[in-house]
Amino acid sequence: MKKSLFKTFFGMFALLASSGFALAQEVSPIPKASNEWRFEVTPYLWLTGIKGTMNFDNGLAKSADFTSSDVLSNLKSGGMIAAEAHKGNWGIMGDVISATLQKSGSVPVAGGTATVADRVTLQQTILTGAATYTLANTKDAYVDALLGVRSINVTATLFGNLVGTAEKESISKTTSTIDPIIGAKGRYRIADSSWYIPAYADIGGGGGTTNLTWQAMTGVGKSFGSLIDASLTYRALYYDMKSGGVLQKTTMQGPQVAITFKF
C-alpha cells in the first residue's frame, strides 16, 4: 500500500511532466503578487531518512538510522500537507508533517553468547507556520522572506527483548518544543519555460529545548496552466537539541514528490 502511494505520486508527476511537452504555449511558473487573494494547497510525500541519536530518560543514547531506501517499509502511518495564502506582498504559510517510523534490529551481548532484539519507534509531528513578504517578483524569479515558528513533538521508544527469554524492557521519552525561524523561499524560471527551480531555506532555535534547527529544499518543478504545479525535490531538516531533548544532532532528509493545487 505504501509503495503504491509513492508510485501514485511519482506517476502523477511523470504524467503531468510528459503531457506538458504537448502544450503549444509555455505557461509561466512565476506567481504574480496582486491585491487579489491567491491560495495554494500542496499534498506531498517526503521519503525522509533519519540519521542521528535519540536520547532516552535514563541517559541511554540509541543511534537512529532510517534510510530513504527502506523508509516505505518503516513508515507505519503519516500525513503531509502544506498551504499558502497571499494578498499583495503579504502572505501566510503552513506545513504539517505527521509520521510514525519503526525499525527493528539486534545487538549481541555478554561476549556474543546472547542477543538482544530491539525495536526503535519514532513518532513525530512537525508544524511550521510563518508570515511571508514578497521581496522580488519578476518575469523569471519570485522570492518571499518568511518569519515564523516551527514546533515539533517527538516520542522515541526503545523496546528490548533478550532473545530466547521472557526478559523485556521498554524505554520511552517525549520532547515538545517551539522555535522561532527566519528564512526565504521562492522559485526561478528555467529558460522562459514552464519549468522552474523551487527553493526553501530557514534557520532557528532557542525555543527552550533546541540549540539549532534548519531546513532546506530544492529541486525541479513544472507548472500546468493556472491550476496545478508538480515538483520533485530533495529536502533536509536538522535538529540539534539540548541534553534533555530526544533528537541529538539528527538530520531528516530525502526526496519529496508534491502536487500543488492553485486557486
Side-chain angles (χ1 to χ4, degrees):
M1 180 178 179
K2 299 163 190 171
K3 291 184 178 179
S4 297
L5 181 61
F6 174 70
K7 289 179 179 178
T8 298
F9 265 83
F10 191 80
M12 289 176 66
F13 178 83
L15 178 62
L16 288 171
S18 62
S19 65
F21 288 113
L23 295 177
Q25 182 179 0
E26 293 287 2
V27 178
S28 174
I30 304 300
K32 295 295 183 183
S34 72
N35 289 327
E36 299 295 326
W37 280 102
R38 58 183 175 88
F39 303 90
E40 295 182 359
V41 177
T42 305
Y44 62 89
L45 182 61
W46 182 24
L47 295 182
T48 172
I50 299 179
K51 192 172 186 63
T53 302
M54 290 184 289
N55 183 47
F56 294 89
D57 281 327
N58 65 349
L60 175 65
K62 173 65 178 177
S63 174
D65 189 0
F66 297 87
T67 65
S68 293
S69 61
D70 63 9
V71 70
L72 288 178
S73 59
N74 292 327
L75 180 65
K76 299 304 178 182
S77 62
M80 305 167 188
I81 193 167
E84 298 183 26
H86 297 267
K87 186 175 184 180
N89 289 329
W90 291 96
I92 56 174
M93 57 160 287
D95 184 273
V96 181
I97 300 171
S98 179
T100 299
L101 299 174
Q102 189 176 89
K103 189 172 185 180
S104 300
S106 61
V107 180
V109 296
T113 60
T115 301
V116 173
D118 63 24
R119 184 173 69 245
V120 179
T121 302
L122 187 65
Q123 298 169 298
Q124 57 184 357
T125 299
I126 304 171
L127 305 174
T128 302
T132 67
Y133 184 81
T134 303
L135 298 177
N137 190 192
T138 69
K139 179 178 72 72
D140 294 320
Y142 180 88
V143 179
D144 278 345
L146 65 92
L147 179 64
V149 296
R150 179 161 51 247
S151 71
I152 182 170
N153 181 286
V154 56
T155 298
T157 303
L158 175 62
F159 174 80
N161 170 229
L162 186 60
V163 177
T165 74
E167 296 294 327
K168 299 179 181 179
E169 185 176 2
S170 180
I171 305 169
S172 182
K173 185 172 183 178
T174 298
T175 296
S176 295
T177 185
I178 300 176
D179 301 291
I181 58 171
I182 187 171
K185 66 180 186 67
R187 55 177 60 181
Y188 179 78
R189 188 178 187 182
I190 301 174
D192 290 328
S193 70
S194 57
W195 291 87
Y196 64 93
I197 299 173
Y200 177 98
D202 71 42
I203 189 168
T209 304
T210 306
N211 288 320
L212 175 69
T213 179
W214 57 258
Q215 184 171 206
M217 179 274 293
T218 191
V220 65
K222 183 174 176 60
S223 288
F224 302 89
S226 60
L227 298 179
I228 297 177
D229 287 355
S231 63
L232 178 61
T233 59
Y234 196 88
R235 180 177 179 180
L237 173 61
Y238 176 80
Y239 265 95
D240 177 15
M241 292 184 174
K242 299 176 182 178
S243 57
V246 170
L247 303 180
Q248 305 290 306
K249 297 184 182 347
T250 298
T251 303
M252 303 168 229
Q253 60 185 342
Q256 175 177 295
V257 181
I259 306 295
T260 297
F261 300 94
K262 304 176 289 184
F263 52 95

